[in-house]
Amino acid sequence: MRWAIALSLLAACAGCDRRDPPADRLIERAEEIVEAPIAEAQPMGQGRLAPRDECPQVEGAAAFRSRLAAAVRNRDDQALIALAADDIKLDFGGSAGATELRRRLADPSWRLWEELETLLALGCAANGQGGITIPWVADQEMPVLRPDAAMLVTGDNVPVYSGPEKGAPEIGTISWDVVEIDTLRLNEPFQQVALPDGKRGFIATDAMRSLLDYRLTASSRNGKWSITSFLAGD
């Protein structure tokens, strides 16, 4: 089975508008399960880091992700908890376990349902431990000097402007690649970034996502697929 995959946003700017028509179209396809031969996952977009779906290459992973998508779509905390390992890791400070996950799901300030919805649209990597990592990019080698400043541009032909507004001259475009943000300005619609070629410009905040944003890992334990971690940070 093969899933279509889509785009994302910058979770660090939770209040920003989430607008990207291509993302909307791909997200609608993200829950379509179609029969297809298992082959090398193809990028679902332009750019070297366009999402891929490698779940079909891992036995049982596609069916697990289907159940995960249904739980997220229905905001079904019981179904989601049933998919989580008892010792699921939730952050780098020692928080873990299904009870804590349930508490965070019920607390709107965590926005975990929205985070999960975003992740499901960003592809799936077959990781080196025999499980899967969502999003796909979270399992890729990232030669960046400052991981906390590295942002993934989440779209095809995203405009780069000379100033922090749409009316500024457009100096180019970028597709699914990593840029380095100068200083994150929360709730600002644009961020100044360094492009891969060293040039600087401004990109819409909601067209980027931190490489340290939420990611999820899952694997099969004794024949049962479970979420083993769901966390952000480093």
Side-chain angles (χ1 to χ4, degrees), residues 9-18 111 186-189 205-206:
L9 53 129
L10 176 62
C13 185
C16 296
D17 291 337
R18 304 184 177 195
R111 298 178 58 85
L186 291 176
N187 301 318
E188 291 294 325
T205 301
D206 61 358

Side-chain angles (χ1 to χ4, degrees), residues 89-102:
K89 185 176 180 179
L90 298 172
D91 57 41
F92 291 99
S95 298
T99 299
E100 177 62 13
L101 175 59
R102 186 189 301 276

Side-chain angles (χ1 to χ4, degrees), residues 100-160:
E100 177 62 13
L101 175 59
R102 186 189 301 276
R103 185 189 72 78
R104 295 186 183 190
L105 286 169
D107 183 346
S109 68
W110 283 94
R111 298 178 58 85
L112 292 191
W113 289 117
E114 290 82 0
E115 298 295 347
L116 286 163
E117 197 167 51
T118 296
L119 292 185
L120 286 170
L122 282 169
C124 171
N127 62 40
Q129 293 74 50
I132 59 173
T133 301
I134 302 173
W136 174 83
V137 72
D139 198 56
Q140 311 310 308
E141 290 291 332
M142 289 293 144
V144 294
L145 297 178
R146 294 177 54 208
D148 61 318
M151 312 298 290
L152 174 68
V153 177
T154 56
D156 292 339
N157 300 313
V158 172
V160 181

Side-chain angles (χ1 to χ4, degrees), residues 30-50:
E31 292 180 351
E32 296 176 6
I33 302 175
V34 295
E35 295 295 334
I38 295 178
E40 181 180 354
Q42 298 300 308
M44 301 298 291
Q46 303 173 26
R48 67 186 184 93
L49 295 175

Side-chain angles (χ1 to χ4, degrees), residues 45-62:
Q46 303 173 26
R48 67 186 184 93
L49 295 175
R52 298 170 185 250
D53 181 13
E54 297 173 352
C55 266
Q57 300 173 9
V58 182
E59 184 177 359

